[in-house]
């Protein structure tokens, strides 16, 4: 697993959904972040992280977060360091 740290600004609305047919995950939040070098990445949070993202984060928030890259080069969110 590869641990990564990112800083950037949320540039999309938080897309929150419930997952019905997955035993491991209950909810998912997906959003895009523009990093300080102007590149954009897709961030995915599951379960408690999804709930936190949906309730506390908004478009244009600056955040610092930790996660890892999945096989589709999307960041799986593990922790939000600051918002």
């Amino acid at each position: 697993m590869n641990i990564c740290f990112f800083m950037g600004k949320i540039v999309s609305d938080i897309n929150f959904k419930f997952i019905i047919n997955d035993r491991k995950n209950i909810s998912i939040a997906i959003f895009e972040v523009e990093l300080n070098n102007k590149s954009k990445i897709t961030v995915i949070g599951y379960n408690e992280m999804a709930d936190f993202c949906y309730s506390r984060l908004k478009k244009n928030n600056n955040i610092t977060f930790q996660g890892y890259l999945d096989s589709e080069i999307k960041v799986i969110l593990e922790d939000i360091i600051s918002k």
Side-chain angles (χ1 to χ4, degrees), residues 12-27:
S12 69
D13 292 326
I14 310 294
N15 186 3
F16 181 84
K17 296 179 183 179
F18 287 104
I19 304 172
I20 296 175
N21 293 328
D22 192 341
R23 295 176 190 226
K24 183 178 174 187
N25 298 309
I26 298 169
S27 58

Side-chain angles (χ1 to χ4, degrees), residues 2-80:
N2 50 27
I3 303 271
C4 305
F5 294 88
F6 300 94
M7 292 176 62
K9 180 171 81 171
I10 299 173
V11 293
S12 69
D13 292 326
I14 310 294
N15 186 3
F16 181 84
K17 296 179 183 179
F18 287 104
I19 304 172
I20 296 175
N21 293 328
D22 192 341
R23 295 176 190 226
K24 183 178 174 187
N25 298 309
I26 298 169
S27 58
I28 184 171
I30 302 171
F31 56 97
E32 284 195 352
V33 173
E34 183 178 279
L35 303 177
N36 292 343
N37 67 0
K38 303 297 182 201
S39 61
K40 291 183 182 175
I41 58 171
T42 301
V43 179
I44 302 171
Y46 292 103
N47 303 324
E48 290 85 14
M49 288 306 305
D51 297 339
F52 179 86
C53 292
Y54 183 70
S55 64
R56 304 262 174 106
L57 300 179
K58 300 198 179 335
K59 188 175 180 178
N60 294 320
N61 282 149
N62 288 312
I63 62 171
T64 303
F65 58 97
Q66 171 188 339
Y68 63 91
L69 296 172
D70 71 358
S71 61
E72 297 175 4
I73 314 300
K74 295 180 182 177
V75 177
I76 306 302
L77 187 62
E78 289 192 326
D79 191 21
I80 295 179

